[in-house]
Amino acid sequence: MKAGFREREHTADWALEVWAPTFAALLREAARGVEQLSGVEVDEAAPPRRRLLQVLASDPETALIEFLNELFYLRDAEGWWYRPETLNWDGQTLRGTLLGYPLRRMAKEVKAATYHQVQVRSTAEGWRAVFVVDV
Amino acid sequence: MLRKQDLRPIDPYTWEIPTSFHRQMQVPVRLFANERLLAYALKDEALQQAVNVARALPGLVGFVAVMPDVHQGYGFPIGGVAATRWPDGAISPGGVGYDIGCGVRLLVSGLTFEMAAPHLDALADALNARIPSGVGRGGTLKVSHADLRGVCHQGARWALEKGYATPEDLERIESQGVMAGADFGKVSQRAKERGRPQLGTLGAGNHFVEVGLVEQVFDEAAAQAMGLREGLVTVMIHTGSRGFGHQICSDYVRALQGEPYVRGLPDRDLAYAPLATLLGQNYLAAMRCAANFAFVNRQVITHQARAAFEHVFRGVYAPEAWWLRLVYDLHHNTAKVETHRVGGKRVKVCVHRKGATRAFGPGHPDLPGVYRPVGQPVLVPGSMGTASWVLVGTEGSMARAFGSTCHGAGRVMSRSRAKKQVRGAALLARLEAEGIHVRAGSMRGLAEEAPSAYKDVDWVVESVVGAGLARQVARLVPLAVIKG
């Protein structure tokens, strides 16, 4: 399965469907989907900033939502947009490294990733998720 | 998805989903809408979400009220009102929303259209230059940790002490600009870090500053109390608590996920805490901090708007003409402890209003003296480029909807579809051709907020007036729009 995402119908917010061969790739693709929908523009010529990620999550839905919320927190608190570099979820904790770039501008601002009807499932071909972000 | 036959008509503007619809419903759901808006409400998951609230939230009293501008949200519908018994009911962060304290304020100038018209382009530029969207980069205000504590505990009074407000402003803000019971200690370090750079910023999405014109007055007495006259130029500000509130909501929604009583809920975003628990009390105290942040945010933006008006009109007209006087400021995403009459008895309740406006009727002690005879001003922005309304709360809103009414036009089309159907540049050209000066952070964002993506605000107002939840005071039309 090749990783990808698409926007689903939701009256007020953004609903995303994401698929990828592994769970780590699924999270990476979810972040890429949100980055693309938000129209994030970063200064890629600037020296990137590396950060450790650690999120407690005993189910894959919590890992996905809290991973995205970590990106939104860092965006507002630091003014940098972070992309996942390495990710590993052991069933209890999501650990990894993020690579950040100074944020130049965004077309739209996501407030938060929500638990509303969030679904993450493992299939024979890989992983699939559906989630809603508040904009 | 519900069908029309699942609802029982009570009158031409009131529809009920009885508890027999689902065996877990503790109270009915009441939708206030005309036939056309009922049809819209049936198009997405909004009414199912209201049913889920009626099933899930402990201690509900009366009914779950649904406003005519309702649309699907996350967990709770946008446009929902739910009251839970104090102190043995529950509070749900999802019933307030991520943008805690999101709301609207209206200011009125002494300028007429003829006076302002030659300067509207310059005014749009001046507002755009002075009011930061803050999207991704924060604002211009330097806010210390102590400042943020003052914002949270004092609300608009902090703005007065810092020179961003006048004493008259404070009298005309819901609850005088401060929700009591805020506790900065219940706010996470992350929320504080996220909120500090964002005070005095507009944000994006459907947030805006709009220069408008009083097109028509419907209630002379109420309009006079508000200082509104046909032909006067107004400013409307729509924003909330920015990343500060978003983080507080995220923190508490997450904390609640581990609680045993939330297992088995129809939606994880309906997570709640009993009001009597430490977690419930902590959320209330933190939520009030964000509500106060939102009051201050709109006040600082008012200060920036006043500076823009002064920049453009100083030396052209006397200060009495260009000074912006506050009409009213209100939240439409909040939870407040209030007393209402339910089943003939006065009951203390926690009223969740998510995309719904408090609309207290005449005589309520929480209203400032100037508005006590006429009722609380209610500000209902329409979609971009269309009309907005000023209403007042009534005895009917107190009796029928926990002192609540609608909050806007309400979306009807998804953002993805709006982007496919509308080109931002074409919309901009159309609005400019109609004489509306637009400054927008992004063309894509503009397309998502196209008027065709929203319901007709006049239908919404017709519905709340028909249902007795508000009375018309004035209709405003736009002259210039600043979007983050």
Side-chain angles (χ1 to χ4, degrees):
Chain A
M1 178 193 275
K2 219 175 137 187
F5 73 89
R6 73 179 180 93
E7 204 179 342
R8 290 187 18 161
E9 285 286 304
H10 187 285
T11 314
D13 298 305
W14 284 339
L16 269 84
E17 183 179 357
V18 186
W19 55 91
T22 66
F23 185 62
L26 184 86
L27 298 185
R28 202 185 309 278
E29 194 62 17
R32 196 176 74 84
V34 169
E35 177 179 329
Q36 196 165 310
L37 279 174
S38 304
V40 167
E41 290 176 27
V42 297
D43 182 0
E44 298 206 42
R49 191 184 276 177
R50 188 169 275 116
R51 267 187 162 275
L52 290 176
L53 170 79
Q54 185 169 317
V55 173
L56 294 176
S58 57
D59 59 76
E61 288 84 5
T62 302
L64 168 65
I65 297 305
E66 296 308 325
F67 161 67
L68 292 171
N69 280 334
E70 187 74 17
L71 303 184
F72 304 142
Y73 155 70
L74 291 168
R75 175 200 68 193
D76 288 352
E78 296 185 5
W80 286 53
W81 179 255
Y82 284 85
R83 293 169 179 156
E85 191 180 37
T86 63
L87 291 170
N88 180 51
W89 181 57
D90 64 8
Q92 291 300 319
T93 309
L94 176 68
R95 291 187 177 86
T97 52
L98 305 174
L99 213 52
Y101 300 88
L103 189 55
R104 273 196 183 140
R105 64 185 303 276
M106 276 187 304
K108 295 290 280 190
E109 185 181 57
V110 173
K111 294 172 187 165
T114 78
Y115 282 92
H116 171 56
Q117 293 178 344
V118 57
Q119 286 175 28
V120 180
R121 60 194 167 90
S122 169
T123 68
E125 296 85 38
W127 287 77
R128 284 189 175 272
V130 179
F131 61 96
V132 174
V133 293
D134 184 12
V135 291
Chain B
M1 213 99 82
L2 277 85
R3 299 157 305 165
K4 190 176 176 185
Q5 52 265 44
D6 295 321
L7 289 92
R8 184 172 69 86
I10 293 178
D11 62 47
Y13 296 100
T14 312
W15 309 80
E16 184 169 279
I17 306 169
T19 52
S20 57
F21 178 75
H22 193 286
R23 61 182 172 76
Q24 289 175 332
M25 283 174 74
Q26 308 160 67
V27 293
V29 170
R30 275 199 196 154
L31 167 67
F32 301 100
N34 63 18
E35 287 263 4
R36 287 178 293 193
L37 293 177
L38 167 67
Y40 278 130
L42 290 166
K43 279 187 179 171
D44 69 11
E45 297 289 330
L47 292 180
Q48 183 59 53
Q49 291 183 341
V51 167
N52 291 345
V53 173
R55 288 169 57 192
L57 203 58
L60 284 168
V61 299
F63 47 86
V64 171
V66 178
M67 296 299 154
D69 48 332
V70 68
H71 61 77
Q72 178 182 357
Y74 36 86
F76 274 62
I78 312 297
V81 179
T84 55
R85 259 191 328 268
W86 180 275
D88 59 334
I91 179 134
S92 173
V96 174
Y98 285 86
D99 197 356
I100 299 166
C102 184
V104 188
R105 74 166 41 191
L106 179 70
L107 302 128
V108 64
S109 75
L111 297 166
T112 63
F113 175 72
E114 289 71 23
M115 292 162 80
H119 307 279
L120 284 175
D121 212 41
L123 184 60
D125 283 341
L127 288 164
N128 196 38
R130 279 165 181 76
I131 302 172
S133 77
V135 175
R137 57 178 60 182
T140 52
L141 226 58
K142 296 282 172 250
V143 179
S144 68
H145 185 80
D147 284 331
L148 191 60
R149 186 190 295 115
V151 166
C152 290
H153 288 167
Q154 295 175 266
R157 184 153 296 281
W158 178 88
L160 178 68
E161 286 175 8
K162 297 289 178 184
Y164 299 117
T166 68
E168 193 199 13
D169 289 340
L170 266 59
E171 288 169 20
R172 291 170 180 244
I173 304 176
E174 180 176 322
S175 303
Q176 292 74 54
V178 61
M179 272 181 86
D183 184 347
F184 195 52
K186 307 306 179 199
V187 175
S188 72
Q189 189 57 31
R190 291 161 75 85
K192 292 166 186 168
E193 288 166 7
R194 202 171 162 184
R196 265 175 49 193
Q198 295 201 329
L199 190 67
T201 65
L202 188 61
N206 59 357
H207 293 164
F208 62 80
V209 173
E210 183 172 288
V211 180
L213 184 71
V214 182
E215 181 198 54
Q216 192 175 355
V217 165
F218 296 83
D219 182 325
E220 284 292 344
Q224 196 177 357
M226 296 180 201
L228 297 175
R229 274 189 290 117
E230 283 176 14
L232 286 184
V233 169
T234 60
V235 171
M236 192 176 262
I237 298 167
H238 177 212
T239 187
S241 56
R242 309 285 291 114
F244 186 62
H246 310 164
Q247 189 65 42
I248 288 172
C249 185
S250 294
D251 290 341
Y252 280 92
V253 168
R254 185 188 180 177
L256 285 166
Q257 298 300 316
E259 294 300 313
Y261 43 79
V262 305
R263 285 191 198 125
L265 286 176
D267 192 311
R268 287 178 71 174
D269 244 51
L270 288 173
Y272 62 82
L275 281 159
T277 61
L278 192 62
L279 197 49
Q281 288 298 308
N282 288 351
Y283 169 69
L284 257 182
M287 184 270 297
R288 288 164 174 158
C289 287
N292 291 337
F293 183 107
F295 282 137
V296 176
N297 196 35
R298 290 192 291 273
Q299 186 64 50
V300 172
I301 291 173
T302 297
H303 180 74
Q304 295 157 344
R306 283 172 172 159
F309 268 63
E310 181 171 0
H311 173 76
V312 173
F313 295 111
R314 190 184 188 93
V316 182
Y317 303 114
E320 301 80 64
W322 47 258
W323 177 252
L324 294 171
R325 203 174 52 73
L326 182 57
V327 174
Y328 204 62
D329 178 296
L330 51 79
H331 289 336
H332 50 225
N333 280 1
T334 188
K336 296 184 96 168
V337 180
E338 298 168 359
T339 301
H340 289 276
R341 192 165 283 280
V342 182
K345 289 184 189 159
R346 287 174 64 76
V347 185
K348 197 170 178 184
V349 286
C350 177
V351 184
H352 299 69
R353 293 188 183 95
K354 183 179 186 182
T357 307
R358 196 189 74 168
F360 283 173
H364 197 284
D366 196 57
L367 299 183
V370 64
Y371 296 140
R372 214 166 283 166
V374 294
Q376 181 206 304
V378 171
L379 311 171
V380 186
S383 53
M384 185 173 50
T386 65
S388 297
W389 283 86
V390 181
L391 314 174
V392 278
T394 59
E395 287 84 0
S397 59
M398 301 306 292
R400 305 195 73 196
F402 302 101
S404 312
T405 192
C406 62
H407 86 307
R411 284 195 78 92
V412 72
M413 186 192 291
S414 72
R415 294 174 186 277
S416 58
R417 198 179 304 166
K419 277 183 292 191
K420 282 178 199 151
Q421 291 190 3
V422 181
R423 279 185 51 246
L427 175 61
L428 177 68
R430 203 193 82 201
L431 292 169
E432 294 276 355
E434 289 172 13
I436 303 168
H437 301 257
V438 181
R439 303 291 182 274
S442 114
M443 284 304 109
R444 213 165 73 183
L446 198 70
E448 288 188 15
E449 297 300 323
S452 56
Y454 285 81
K455 295 164 192 164
D456 186 330
V457 72
D458 291 348
W459 297 358
V460 172
V461 169
E462 181 215 319
S463 296
V464 292
V465 170
L469 306 187
R471 216 172 63 240
Q472 293 165 318
V473 176
R475 190 174 190 269
L476 316 177
V477 290
L479 300 174
V481 184
I482 317 302
K483 292 199 68 78

